[in-house]
Amino acid sequence: MTSVRAGVHELHESITHTRSFTGCATCRTRHVKCDERRPECSMCQYFGLACGGYKNDIFFDFETSRNDGVRFRRPLFSVKERERMSEWLLSSVPPKTTLRALSRIDEECERANTSDEIEIHRGPFGAFRLNQDQHTLPHDATVNDHEQTESRSPEDMIQSCDLYLASSDMLLSPWSQALMHLTFDQPENVLSPPSPGFLEAMTDQDCVEDDSALSEYLPTSCLPDQSYNNPASPASFTSSMSTTKAVPQDAVFLLKHYVSAVISLMTPLRHSKTPWHILFIPHTKSCLAGLALGDELSDASLCAFYGTLAISAFSLGGVSRSQIWSDKAVVYKEKAQKHARMMLITAYHVTKVAKYKSILMALLTMVQVSMFSGNRRSSEYYFLEAEKFIRLRGLPRTKSRKVRLLHHCYVFERIIHESVFICGANSRQRHRVHTAIETSGLGMYSLDSLSFRLWGWENLDQEMMRVRGQEEGENDLHLERPGFWSNSLYPEIFGIPEPWIILLSQIIRLGKEKDATEGNDTSDCLSLKEFIGRAKTLEDYINNLRRPSLENIHSHLDHEIIENMLNAMQNALGIYFYRRIHDVNASLLQQKVECVLDNLLRCKDTDSTVVHGSAGFIWPAFIAACEAEDPLVQASFSDWFVNSARRSGLSCFTETLANIQRIWQEKTCTNGRSITWLDLMKNTMLLQQLS
């Protein structure tokens, strides 16, 4: 009997019973379980009773403290109350005048004497001095504000605030009283219409995409307007976190610019389901919130955070032509590189220092930092580190959709990089990475070769129609095997079907076979007959490339941009094939060159506000411009790159144009001999100039 009672007691202890203190007034009066549905609970509707609504209260649930460090909060106010508060805050000071109001408060505070009473209000922002007797103040209150900020710990500051709040004669400022009146004095079922100032403020905010999440961590006053015609220096933007040393003062502004302007460089699509909206931006915002709260962040999180700020600062520096932003970008880039080095030390040998997605996002961010700053050698380094990390930590695991999104981002950019950076095939770093993968025992999860060798297909049309399974679709990292995979995410991210990227991968691999043969490395190489047969098959497939259906793209603007991008991509694939495989004279490729230029100009005419900076545009522009011979066509390509550099602010466009102009210059000095980017990349001295 005793054992039975003990068992029942243990069962009772294992089940946590929580009373609902947050139910509606009717259900609590009737002692009925309430589902807390808003605005009326389902139980009251079921029994035909008038729901009494919910009271404003703070609830501490001590019975659920067994959760391992899980932190959560419940809103103190109802949804309608929070909506009224937000409307009042926005209507009191429009976003465009936020900085002006804060500056005026600062100026009036600086002019006031130490003994004067200060009570300044500009909309929801206010500054006032609480006058109390000296003996009632805490001892530390006699220290000036600067010394408090520098010498006192956060714990001491919190304790001092508690002493102030404990005072019974603590007075509320007028704006606080207005908030209290707005919140509690109005009936629950009445929602006052927004003021004209609120409507004006809302119309001024439509230039920023997905900016609502920023307000979770910072007030609207910390999100200054973006004005590129008259750019301001970073020092002019302040935030409520300026007293926190770990948080850069311009972090919010840079993140806002990244969301509104830089993301279009990564993808031509405008929907909010891209990896940058789902993964990169929320991760960066979480890092910003963690720094503001004083949390200890991993090197991977800090690398992604500072790398994102560096990308945005590089863009702002180019757009505004401000050396201040360019210097900031270099500082953030160096910080990101520092955390990247620390991250890679513990990425493989220390367990659970950072999550897989966090490390991979950090590496991909560093790839983007290197690409957008025009450092091709640095991009090569981070591409190889990302490949090593994916093959050792990513391929053996079960892939969620978010992980596959990150893998797709890596593969797409890596194949584009591999198509033009052909001189790094035998670098020491590649040998080190491949050796580490082969000796780890995890190389068996990779279903493709480590050195971009050609897969043994005979009928490419038949192979491309072959359905690939999940394991082959996920673990054929660099798309070595042709086939169709229904779960491919490339169209959702870059607007380009996976078969097109597979085709580019096959051209790269056939080109490596050609280089191996020309380098007298005849071991395990294709015979001449096999090489010609593979080349003919690829040529036929490029010329008869199946166009994807664009029915799922509902926006007419996106439909035209994607259609022009695919046309440019197909013609660039043809140019790349004929140059890389057959080394055809450039005079025979001018029709395709002009078609690519026409598609680029059509996109510009369709929407001049879009920065065509994704690899889907810059890659065909580079491939086609290198072969342009007509001076007018060359000038049009130059204008496109210059305009893209001006609108994006990134040096990758100017660096690419400089490389193209070197090729044009070489063509004028070769007595008619055809020179292309391939010859430029093979020239060691010029390669050093590029890096």
Side-chain angles (χ1 to χ4, degrees):
M1 188 65 180
T2 304
S3 62
V4 174
R5 289 181 179 176
V8 173
H9 179 71
E10 292 176 359
L11 178 63
H12 178 74
E13 288 294 327
S14 63
I15 301 176
T16 59
H17 297 282
T18 59
R19 293 182 58 193
S20 175
F21 292 96
T22 56
C24 72
T26 304
C27 290
R28 293 194 61 190
T29 303
R30 299 177 65 244
H31 303 286
V32 177
K33 178 71 174 179
C34 181
D35 62 355
E36 303 180 24
R37 182 178 175 184
R38 307 297 175 114
E40 297 180 354
C41 70
S42 301
M43 294 299 295
C44 292
Q45 292 180 355
Y46 178 77
F47 289 107
L49 301 174
C51 185
Y54 308 90
K55 62 180 294 189
N56 298 310
D57 199 0
I58 301 177
F59 171 59
F60 298 94
D61 188 1
F62 295 102
E63 298 183 17
T64 59
S65 60
R66 300 178 183 180
N67 296 336
D68 297 332
V70 177
R71 296 183 299 177
F72 64 94
R73 67 179 183 179
R74 295 187 179 183
L76 178 61
F77 302 135
S78 66
V79 176
K80 291 184 179 180
E81 289 171 343
R82 281 177 280 162
E83 289 177 351
R84 285 197 296 268
M85 291 174 64
S86 300
E87 292 173 3
W88 183 82
L89 290 172
L90 286 173
S91 61
S92 59
V93 174
K96 286 189 175 181
T97 61
T98 298
L99 293 177
R100 192 183 312 159
L102 294 176
S103 299
R104 289 179 179 176
I105 292 176
D106 292 338
E107 292 174 359
E108 294 187 30
C109 290
E110 291 176 357
R111 290 195 300 265
N113 297 325
T114 307
S115 59
D116 293 345
E117 293 186 3
I118 298 177
E119 192 170 337
I120 307 168
H121 302 282
R122 296 288 185 273
F125 313 112
F128 61 94
R129 179 176 291 119
L130 181 65
N131 290 328
Q132 290 186 353
D133 295 336
Q134 185 69 25
H135 66 274
T136 62
L137 293 176
H139 176 71
D140 290 340
T142 59
V143 186
N144 61 52
D145 294 340
H146 177 73
E147 292 177 351
Q148 283 184 349
T149 304
E150 295 296 329
S151 61
R152 297 173 59 190
S153 64
E155 291 80 3
D156 296 335
M157 297 292 288
I158 294 172
Q159 292 176 2
S160 299
C161 292
D162 292 340
L163 290 173
Y164 280 104
L165 295 176
S167 177
S168 59
D169 56 351
M170 184 75 174
L171 299 176
L172 292 175
S173 63
W175 73 272
S176 300
Q177 295 175 1
L179 274 178
M180 297 294 290
H181 175 76
L182 179 70
T183 304
F184 294 108
D185 292 349
Q186 296 188 17
E188 176 66 26
N189 57 352
V190 177
L191 181 60
S192 58
S195 63
F198 167 69
L199 295 176
E200 180 183 357
M202 293 301 293
T203 57
D204 291 337
Q205 288 181 329
D206 57 356
C207 61
V208 180
E209 182 182 4
D210 193 27
D211 195 35
S212 59
L214 278 172
S215 59
E216 295 181 25
Y217 310 111
L218 297 171
T220 311
S221 61
C222 299
L223 306 178
D225 298 306
Q226 298 180 26
S227 178
Y228 301 134
N229 295 328
N230 186 18
S233 65
S236 64
F237 300 107
T238 60
S239 70
S240 62
M241 302 179 305
S242 59
T243 57
T244 305
K245 296 181 180 179
V247 181
Q249 291 186 351
D250 48 18
V252 178
F253 179 65
L254 290 175
L255 184 56
K256 183 177 181 181
H257 176 73
Y258 183 87
V259 172
S260 60
V262 180
I263 290 182
S264 62
L265 301 171
M266 269 71 97
T267 172
L269 301 173
R270 300 167 187 260
H271 60 73
S272 59
K273 297 180 180 179
T274 67
W276 295 274
H277 294 93
I278 298 174
L279 292 167
F280 288 87
I281 295 174
H283 181 65
T284 306
K285 291 178 180 178
S286 298
C287 296
L288 178 61
L291 288 175
L293 295 174
D295 294 343
E296 290 292 334
L297 301 182
S298 64
D299 288 300
S301 297
L302 293 173
C303 174
F305 176 73
Y306 286 114
T308 302
L309 297 187
I311 294 173
S312 185
F314 274 125
S315 175
L316 274 173
V319 170
S320 62
R321 300 184 183 276
S322 171
Q323 187 61 36
I324 298 178
W325 284 117
S326 300
D327 295 340
K328 284 275 187 180
V330 174
V331 172
Y332 290 139
K333 179 181 178 181
E334 292 176 352
K335 288 185 177 182
Q337 290 174 338
K338 172 186 173 183
H339 289 292
R341 289 192 295 268
M342 299 301 296
M343 172 191 70
L344 292 175
I345 292 175
T346 60
Y348 302 98
H349 306 295
V350 180
T351 307
K352 290 295 181 182
V353 173
K355 294 182 179 180
Y356 175 79
K357 292 193 294 290
S358 299
I359 296 177
L360 187 53
M361 277 190 285
L363 289 172
L364 293 178
T365 301
M366 293 308 299
V367 167
Q368 294 165 2
V369 171
S370 303
M371 291 172 55
F372 290 152
S373 60
N375 193 332
R376 193 181 297 273
R377 286 300 184 102
S378 182
S379 300
E380 165 83 358
Y381 171 79
Y382 289 110
F383 269 127
L384 294 178
E385 290 296 333
E387 177 188 358
K388 176 183 175 183
F389 185 68
I390 292 174
R391 292 190 186 276
L392 296 183
R393 292 292 181 265
L395 297 188
R397 61 181 287 152
T398 302
K399 290 90 172 168
S400 63
R401 176 180 172 83
K402 291 183 178 180
V403 169
R404 290 193 293 113
L405 282 171
L406 294 175
H407 288 186
H408 279 66
C409 291
Y410 159 76
V411 175
F412 183 80
E413 298 292 349
R414 174 64 188 278
I415 290 180
I416 294 294
H417 169 81
E418 202 73 20
S419 66
V420 294
F421 194 73
I422 63 173
C423 296
N426 297 318
S427 65
R428 294 180 180 178
Q429 187 193 7
R430 294 205 177 199
H431 286 300
R432 288 197 300 266
V433 169
H434 294 170
T435 302
I437 296 172
E438 292 169 351
T439 58
S440 66
L442 300 174
M444 61 180 181
Y445 293 99
S446 300
L447 299 185
D448 60 325
S449 62
L450 303 181
S451 55
F452 280 86
R453 298 307 296 264
L454 195 62
W455 176 251
W457 49 263
E458 294 182 359
N459 189 331
L460 183 60
D461 286 321
Q462 183 178 353
E463 290 292 326
M464 292 292 276
M465 295 301 295
R466 180 179 62 87
V467 178
R468 296 192 294 170
Q470 180 179 355
E471 181 181 4
E472 186 178 2
E474 293 178 348
N475 290 7
D476 179 16
L477 186 60
H478 292 152
L479 304 179
E480 179 179 278
R481 306 181 182 186
F484 173 77
W485 187 34
S486 59
N487 292 329
S488 175
L489 301 175
Y490 294 106
E492 299 181 25
I493 304 174
F494 302 104
I496 299 177
E498 185 178 75
W500 293 46
I501 308 173
I502 292 177
L503 186 60
L504 177 57
S505 176
Q506 298 302 313
I507 301 174
I508 294 171
R509 297 172 189 277
L510 189 60
K512 289 184 179 292
E513 296 288 338
K514 175 185 176 183
D515 294 340
T517 304
E518 293 177 351
N520 298 324
D521 183 11
T522 58
S523 59
D524 197 23
C525 289
L526 295 177
S527 63
L528 179 60
K529 181 179 180 180
E530 290 176 328
F531 180 85
I532 295 176
R534 297 286 183 92
K536 184 65 171 64
T537 303
L538 285 175
E539 181 182 9
D540 293 340
Y541 200 89
I542 293 172
N543 293 330
N544 300 287
L545 198 58
R546 295 181 179 89
R547 301 300 300 272
S549 174
L550 302 179
E551 296 178 357
N552 57 339
I553 301 178
H554 302 290
S555 172
H556 177 70
L557 190 62
D558 286 353
H559 190 281
E560 289 195 17
I561 290 177
I562 296 298
E563 186 175 5
N564 282 291
M565 186 185 70
L566 291 175
N567 288 333
M569 192 76 175
Q570 183 175 9
N571 283 285
L573 281 172
I575 297 172
Y576 181 78
F577 169 80
Y578 287 119
R579 263 312 204 175
R580 182 74 175 93
I581 305 302
H582 294 308
D583 197 15
V584 172
N585 191 281
S587 61
L588 302 177
L589 304 174
Q590 294 308 299
Q591 182 178 0
K592 293 183 178 295
V593 170
E594 294 175 1
C595 287
V596 173
L597 177 61
D598 181 65
N599 294 132
L600 296 176
L601 298 180
R602 285 176 181 269
C603 288
K604 181 180 177 181
D605 295 336
T606 301
D607 186 2
S608 59
T609 63
V610 176
V611 178
H612 305 301
S614 65
F617 283 104
I618 194 173
W619 185 81
F622 170 75
I623 295 298
C626 289
E627 309 302 331
E629 294 185 337
D630 189 341
L632 295 178
V633 175
Q634 292 179 354
S636 297
F637 274 113
S638 297
D639 292 340
W640 185 88
F641 278 99
V642 170
N643 291 332
S644 297
R646 175 179 52 82
R647 288 153 56 195
S648 68
L650 298 175
S651 60
C652 60
F653 291 98
T654 56
E655 292 291 334
T656 303
L657 178 59
N659 298 339
I660 295 171
Q661 290 174 341
R662 288 192 188 100
I663 294 172
W664 293 340
Q665 183 65 28
E666 288 289 327
K667 286 183 178 181
T668 61
C669 303
T670 55
N671 297 324
R673 188 169 66 89
S674 182
I675 301 294
T676 186
W677 57 268
L678 190 60
D679 304 291
L680 181 64
M681 296 299 291
K682 288 182 178 180
N683 189 309
T684 305
M685 295 181 61
L686 289 179
L687 182 61
Q688 292 176 353
Q689 294 177 6
L690 291 178
S691 61

